[in-house]
Amino acid sequence: MTDTLPRQAGPAAETTATSPVPPGTARVDLGDIPVVHTRHWFRWSIGAVVLFVVAQFVWSVFTNENYEWDVFAHYFFAEPVLIGVGYTLSLTAISAVFGFTLGTVLALGRLSKSALLRGASWSYIWFFRSVPLVVQIIVWYNLGYLYPTLGLGTPFTTDFWIVEFPTVNLISAFAAAILGLGLHQAAYSAEIIRGGLLSVDQGQQEAAAALGIPARKRLFRIILPQAMRSIVPNATNEVIGLVKGASVVFVIAIPEVFYAVQVIYNRNSRVIPLLLVAVVWYTLITTILSIAQYYIERHYARGSVRVLPPTPLQTFRHWVAAQWARLGDADTGPPPLVGVDAPLHTRTPFGASSNDAKHSEGAGS
């Protein structure tokens, strides 16, 4: 390493070398300065404590006999539990589709220019966010006490001369659960969708309107795809909450996962291993939904980034290829990681720089 000050030549240089240098003006060779790395003692201490706590917990999980892992394994794929998983997935899927469809309508109502539609949408959201979910489900299940029969007929009367149904037969326990979960979810979904629509620049809609694009196409082809980047994370949180919220339907005796394990441990008193069965099933469902959220977000990020970031699988495959290339004698390294390095068609000799590859391409042309 050399200094950046100009050197004098000839006798003047010798005079300067022999003359005393005033304090504070001596040249310093930066290569002689030792590099002292910052030691993050606080970070290391916290990390050590966290690692110790995690290791202690994992050790207790495998050594504590009270977990009764044999009982857990016996009931994990038991028929009542699998039926409960099916009910949980069905309730979640149907309620999510119903809730987000109605929530989209409510969100558009709140953004409407009609004061009546805005007021009706706001009143719906206010009411269903105010009443607890378990209360809504019980009310729908016992709706027959308020309205013994439902049907079509003369308005403002109970003369259902067109069609008439007993309410108890029309609204079963499963239907009451769907109504409670779906209507409750619609109130929260409406605000999520409305927030996503408001996040899109108003100029997008104005430009589309100036081009003569119909309102429906403006919404579904221009505004909504851009709003999905803001909607998807919050919507996935709501769906995951709906998976766990479906456990509330045990109050009307629907045999979902939590109800199924409750029935079993009330008979054999194996509370902890049966609760672990429910915990693991909920964790698996949530993990699948989280993975789906990642790829959906990645899909809708195409309008905001030039190159999509690599997926975890692509990153892992690139790392394996890099390690394999280091072990071998190949002249070329692994293909560049898409979204981080150069495009896939560019192959750089292993150990060479990207500038060498550019020069070699230029020479070949």
Side-chain angles (χ1 to χ4, degrees):
M1 172 147 329
T2 58
D3 57 66
T4 57
L5 297 177
R7 298 181 178 273
Q8 299 178 358
E14 297 179 358
T15 306
T16 304
T18 56
S19 61
V21 179
T25 61
R27 296 186 180 92
V28 177
D29 190 354
L30 299 180
D32 297 335
I33 300 177
V35 178
V36 180
H37 296 282
T38 305
R39 288 175 171 79
H40 304 279
W41 297 108
F42 179 77
R43 186 189 306 172
W44 292 351
S45 301
I46 297 298
V49 172
V50 171
L51 182 62
F52 171 76
V53 172
V54 172
Q56 181 69 30
F57 174 73
V58 173
W59 175 83
S60 67
V61 167
F62 287 98
T63 58
N64 192 342
E65 297 179 354
N66 294 327
Y67 280 101
E68 298 182 280
W69 292 110
D70 54 339
V71 179
F72 168 86
H74 177 73
Y75 286 105
F76 188 73
F77 291 107
E79 183 178 358
V81 175
L82 294 180
I83 293 174
V85 172
Y87 270 104
T88 299
L89 294 176
S90 300
L91 289 169
T92 302
I94 299 173
S95 301
V97 172
F98 176 46
F100 278 94
T101 302
L102 181 57
T104 303
V105 176
L106 292 171
L108 296 177
R110 287 213 60 188
L111 297 174
S112 173
K113 296 180 180 179
S114 171
L116 178 61
L117 293 178
R118 290 200 307 270
S121 300
W122 182 88
S123 300
Y124 178 97
I125 295 170
W126 164 77
F127 178 78
F128 280 93
R129 289 199 302 185
S130 302
V131 181
L133 175 59
V134 63
V135 176
Q136 296 181 37
I137 293 174
I138 295 175
V139 168
W140 284 111
Y141 185 63
N142 296 280
L143 190 63
Y145 289 103
L146 290 175
Y147 305 100
T149 58
L150 295 174
L152 297 175
T154 305
F156 307 108
T157 67
T158 57
D159 183 15
F160 302 130
W161 54 273
I162 299 177
V163 63
E164 184 176 2
F165 298 100
T167 304
V168 176
N169 297 335
L170 183 63
I171 302 180
S172 61
F174 189 82
I178 293 296
L179 286 172
L181 292 171
L183 295 175
H184 180 79
Q185 183 61 49
Y188 291 90
S189 302
E191 292 298 277
I192 292 174
I193 296 171
R194 185 175 71 92
L197 295 175
L198 291 176
S199 67
V200 180
D201 186 17
Q202 185 68 20
Q204 298 281 331
Q205 188 169 354
E206 294 175 355
L211 293 174
I213 300 176
R216 191 175 70 173
K217 285 190 176 181
R218 292 202 301 266
L219 174 64
F220 289 102
R221 301 299 297 273
I222 298 176
I223 306 301
L224 196 56
Q226 298 182 66
M228 288 297 290
R229 295 184 60 245
S230 301
I231 293 174
V232 169
N234 297 321
T236 307
N237 283 340
E238 287 297 316
V239 174
I240 291 174
L242 193 59
V243 172
K244 296 174 287 186
S247 61
V248 177
V249 302
F250 81 93
V251 297
I252 54 177
I254 292 182
E256 46 80 43
V257 176
F258 184 62
Y259 182 84
V261 299
Q262 270 189 316
V263 172
I264 297 174
Y265 73 62
N266 284 333
R267 294 176 180 175
N268 60 15
S269 300
R270 296 292 191 269
V271 178
I272 295 300
L274 267 302
L275 288 178
L276 285 175
V277 169
V279 167
V280 173
W281 273 114
Y282 282 127
T283 303
L284 289 175
I285 297 172
T286 302
T287 302
I288 294 173
L289 291 174
S290 300
I291 295 174
Q293 173 190 354
Y294 170 81
Y295 284 99
I296 294 173
E297 287 185 4
R298 190 171 184 270
H299 171 76
Y300 284 106
R302 293 180 300 174
S304 60
V305 295
R306 294 182 180 272
V307 181
L308 290 177
T311 64
L313 180 60
Q314 291 173 340
T315 304
F316 176 74
R317 290 173 59 185
H318 182 269
W319 180 84
V320 171
Q323 304 309 314
W324 185 262
R326 290 176 180 175
L327 294 175
D329 297 330
D331 295 334
T332 60
L337 190 59
V338 178
V340 176
D341 298 332
L344 276 174
H345 65 272
T346 304
R347 289 182 176 270
T348 305
F350 197 57
S353 65
S354 59
N355 292 329
D356 297 335
K358 294 179 181 178
H359 290 306
S360 62
E361 291 178 359
S365 59

